[in-house]
């Protein structure tokens, strides 16, 4: 038996409600075996072995039909685990968000990732740390470079930073924020109405 079948904490429980037709999980990670998919050096948590099969068992039980893979911070710029999982699914039901080094990514790589189903770039800080004076400002040049790549490819930026500080540097891209207890819903609604920002909720922390 493997990790997918040894323990099912949801056994005996059924979903409390049916999701909408074509429901989409807009932010989830997969983690492969460490000997095949080594982690980066800057880890803020011990990544579990959570393969695609384990995730899909729960997701399909809930009723999700479409899926957006997001590159975990544990893998840094190495998107190979996510790409392999994406290839195991039908292209029409999944998309992906990568993390990349904009100084080394080639046009050929970006085109191949776009063909695979990548539609966004994650603006990430690893490991996550307490707010530092000047940190946001220091990231703006990189965000601008990523925004230019995203605009050319028709992708979006995925960020958990405050919408106001991020979106102002990327007026043509969608900035996704998924911290649902944020006090800045008014800003989110305003920028969404302007057409410069899309948002999603994928966790309640």
């Amino acid at each position: 038996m493997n990790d997918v079948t040894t323990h099912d904490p949801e056994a005996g429980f059924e979903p409390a409600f049916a999701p909408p037709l074509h429901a989409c999980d807009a932010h989830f990670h997969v983690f492969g075996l460490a000997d095949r998919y080594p982690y980066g050096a800057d880890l803020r948590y011990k990544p579990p072995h959570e393969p695609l099969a384990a995730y899909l068992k729960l997701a399909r039980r809930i009723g999700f039909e479409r899926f957006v893979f997001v590159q975990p911070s544990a893998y840094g710029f190495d998107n190979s685990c996510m790409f392999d999982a994406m290839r195991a699914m039908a292209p029409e039901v999944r998309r992906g968000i990568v993390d990349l080094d904009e100084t080394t990514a080639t046009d050929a790589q970006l085109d191949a990732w776009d063909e695979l189903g990548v539609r966004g770039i994650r603006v990430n800080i690893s490991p996550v740390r307490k707010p530092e004076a000047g940190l946001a400002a220091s990231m703006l040049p990189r965000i601008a470079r990523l925004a230019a790549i995203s605009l050319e490819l028709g992708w979006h930026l995925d960020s958990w930073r405050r919408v106001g500080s991020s979106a102002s540097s990327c007026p043509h891209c969608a900035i996704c924020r998924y911290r649902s207890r944020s006090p800045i819903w008014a800003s989110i609604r305003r920028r969404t109405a302007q057409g410069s920002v899309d948002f999603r909720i994928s966790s309640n922390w």
Side-chain angles (χ1 to χ4, degrees):
M1 298 179 73
N2 58 31
D3 289 349
V4 178
T5 59
T6 52
H7 177 59
D8 182 2
E10 305 297 329
F13 295 92
E14 295 300 328
F17 61 90
L21 186 65
H22 305 312
C24 178
D25 185 346
H27 187 117
F28 75 96
H29 308 304
V30 291
F31 297 92
L33 294 170
D35 57 351
R36 181 174 179 182
Y37 303 104
Y39 306 120
D42 250 348
L43 295 179
R44 66 177 184 270
Y45 60 89
K46 178 179 173 57
H49 177 219
E50 290 294 336
L52 179 62
Y55 165 75
L56 289 178
K57 181 179 180 181
L58 176 61
R60 287 172 172 159
R61 182 177 181 180
I62 293 172
F64 287 124
E65 300 179 29
R66 300 179 300 154
F67 309 91
V68 181
F69 290 82
V70 177
Q71 170 72 350
S73 59
Y75 288 127
F77 295 144
D78 183 355
N79 298 277
S80 57
C81 181
M82 185 184 76
F83 287 163
D84 286 348
M86 290 177 65
R87 293 185 183 101
M89 296 189 69
E92 62 268 20
V93 300
R94 51 64 172 163
R95 295 292 184 264
I97 308 297
V98 297
D99 195 359
L100 60 81
D101 183 348
E102 75 281 5
T103 66
T104 61
T106 66
D107 289 343
Q109 282 179 318
L110 295 171
D111 288 344
W113 295 351
D114 185 77
E115 180 68 21
L116 179 61
V118 171
R119 292 297 182 269
I121 304 171
R122 188 178 191 192
V123 181
N124 203 9
I125 304 175
S126 183
V128 170
R129 51 192 184 271
K130 295 181 179 180
E132 302 171 7
L135 176 61
S138 72
M139 292 182 63
L140 292 180
R142 179 169 189 257
I143 291 174
R145 293 192 296 270
L146 295 178
I149 294 173
S150 297
L151 183 60
E152 183 175 350
L153 292 167
W155 294 0
H156 72 264
L157 295 186
D158 181 300
S159 174
W160 66 281
R161 299 171 65 243
R162 289 189 178 276
V163 171
S165 62
S166 296
S168 60
S169 66
C170 179
H172 303 293
C173 298
I175 305 291
C176 297
R177 179 182 172 89
Y178 50 89
R179 299 189 68 172
S180 61
R181 64 184 188 189
S182 166
I184 58 171
W185 287 109
S187 173
I188 293 175
R189 288 194 298 269
R190 183 176 64 256
R191 299 198 66 87
T192 301
Q194 293 170 350
S196 61
V197 171
D198 294 331
F199 73 95
R200 66 175 183 263
I201 301 174
S202 64
S203 72
N204 61 359
W205 45 269

